[in-house]
Short mmCIF file of all heavy atoms in Angstrom, two decimals:
data_model
loop_
_atom_site.label_atom_id
_atom_site.label_comp_id
_atom_site.label_asym_id
_atom_site.label_seq_id
_atom_site.Cartn_x
_atom_site.Cartn_y
_atom_site.Cartn_z
N GLU S 1655 -32.80 -15.27 25.12
CA GLU S 1655 -32.15 -16.43 25.68
C GLU S 1655 -30.68 -16.10 25.95
O GLU S 1655 -30.05 -15.49 24.97
CB GLU S 1655 -32.28 -17.68 24.74
CG GLU S 1655 -31.73 -18.89 25.46
CD GLU S 1655 -31.57 -20.10 24.49
OE1 GLU S 1655 -32.21 -20.00 23.33
OE2 GLU S 1655 -30.95 -21.14 24.82
N LEU S 1656 -30.27 -16.37 27.12
CA LEU S 1656 -28.89 -16.16 27.48
C LEU S 1656 -28.19 -17.49 27.53
O LEU S 1656 -28.47 -18.26 28.42
CB LEU S 1656 -28.72 -15.33 28.76
CG LEU S 1656 -29.30 -14.01 28.90
CD1 LEU S 1656 -29.11 -13.35 30.25
CD2 LEU S 1656 -28.69 -13.10 27.82
N LYS S 1657 -27.28 -17.80 26.72
CA LYS S 1657 -26.64 -19.10 26.77
C LYS S 1657 -25.28 -18.88 27.43
O LYS S 1657 -24.44 -17.98 27.11
CB LYS S 1657 -26.40 -19.64 25.30
CG LYS S 1657 -27.64 -20.15 24.67
CD LYS S 1657 -27.35 -20.81 23.32
CE LYS S 1657 -26.84 -22.20 23.40
NZ LYS S 1657 -27.98 -23.07 23.84
N GLU S 1658 -25.07 -19.64 28.44
CA GLU S 1658 -23.83 -19.52 29.30
C GLU S 1658 -22.74 -20.39 28.57
O GLU S 1658 -22.85 -21.56 28.54
CB GLU S 1658 -24.11 -19.94 30.68
CG GLU S 1658 -25.18 -19.06 31.36
CD GLU S 1658 -25.63 -19.62 32.67
OE1 GLU S 1658 -25.25 -20.77 33.04
OE2 GLU S 1658 -26.39 -18.93 33.39
N MET S 1659 -21.72 -19.69 28.18
CA MET S 1659 -20.68 -20.39 27.37
C MET S 1659 -19.29 -20.40 28.23
O MET S 1659 -18.96 -19.41 28.68
CB MET S 1659 -20.42 -19.60 26.04
CG MET S 1659 -21.68 -19.48 25.21
SD MET S 1659 -22.49 -20.93 24.55
CE MET S 1659 -21.22 -21.40 23.29
N ASN S 1660 -18.76 -21.51 28.25
CA ASN S 1660 -17.45 -21.76 28.74
C ASN S 1660 -17.32 -21.24 30.17
O ASN S 1660 -16.34 -20.63 30.55
CB ASN S 1660 -16.31 -20.94 27.90
CG ASN S 1660 -16.50 -21.16 26.43
OD1 ASN S 1660 -16.71 -22.23 26.01
ND2 ASN S 1660 -16.26 -20.13 25.65
N PHE S 1661 -18.35 -21.61 30.97
CA PHE S 1661 -18.35 -21.19 32.40
C PHE S 1661 -17.47 -22.18 33.27
O PHE S 1661 -17.12 -21.82 34.38
CB PHE S 1661 -19.76 -21.13 32.99
CG PHE S 1661 -20.48 -19.89 32.76
CD1 PHE S 1661 -20.15 -19.08 31.65
CD2 PHE S 1661 -21.42 -19.49 33.59
CE1 PHE S 1661 -20.84 -17.89 31.42
CE2 PHE S 1661 -22.13 -18.35 33.38
CZ PHE S 1661 -21.90 -17.54 32.27
N ALA S 1662 -17.25 -23.33 32.73
CA ALA S 1662 -16.64 -24.35 33.62
C ALA S 1662 -15.19 -23.89 34.01
O ALA S 1662 -14.50 -23.34 33.23
CB ALA S 1662 -16.50 -25.68 32.78
N GLY S 1663 -14.99 -24.10 35.26
CA GLY S 1663 -13.69 -23.74 35.78
C GLY S 1663 -13.45 -22.23 36.27
O GLY S 1663 -12.46 -21.84 36.64
N TYR S 1664 -14.50 -21.51 36.12
CA TYR S 1664 -14.55 -20.08 36.52
C TYR S 1664 -15.47 -19.92 37.77
O TYR S 1664 -16.39 -20.68 37.94
CB TYR S 1664 -14.89 -19.14 35.44
CG TYR S 1664 -14.08 -19.15 34.30
CD1 TYR S 1664 -14.21 -19.96 33.14
CD2 TYR S 1664 -12.84 -18.33 34.27
CE1 TYR S 1664 -13.41 -20.02 32.15
CE2 TYR S 1664 -12.01 -18.44 33.25
CZ TYR S 1664 -12.23 -19.21 32.19
OH TYR S 1664 -11.29 -19.30 31.03
N ASN S 1665 -15.13 -18.87 38.59
CA ASN S 1665 -15.95 -18.56 39.76
C ASN S 1665 -17.09 -17.66 39.29
O ASN S 1665 -16.92 -16.46 39.29
CB ASN S 1665 -15.11 -17.91 40.84
CG ASN S 1665 -14.02 -18.80 41.30
OD1 ASN S 1665 -14.17 -19.96 41.44
ND2 ASN S 1665 -12.85 -18.21 41.48
N ILE S 1666 -18.19 -18.27 38.87
CA ILE S 1666 -19.28 -17.41 38.38
C ILE S 1666 -20.54 -17.89 39.02
O ILE S 1666 -20.81 -19.00 39.09
CB ILE S 1666 -19.46 -17.65 36.85
CG1 ILE S 1666 -18.13 -17.23 36.11
CG2 ILE S 1666 -20.61 -16.81 36.32
CD1 ILE S 1666 -18.17 -17.63 34.55
#
Side-chain angles (χ1 to χ4, degrees):
Chain S
E1655 183 185 352
L1656 299 177
K1657 287 185 82 72
E1658 296 168 356
M1659 307 292 288
N1660 309 323
F1661 275 28
Y1664 294 95
N1665 300 320
I1666 302 173

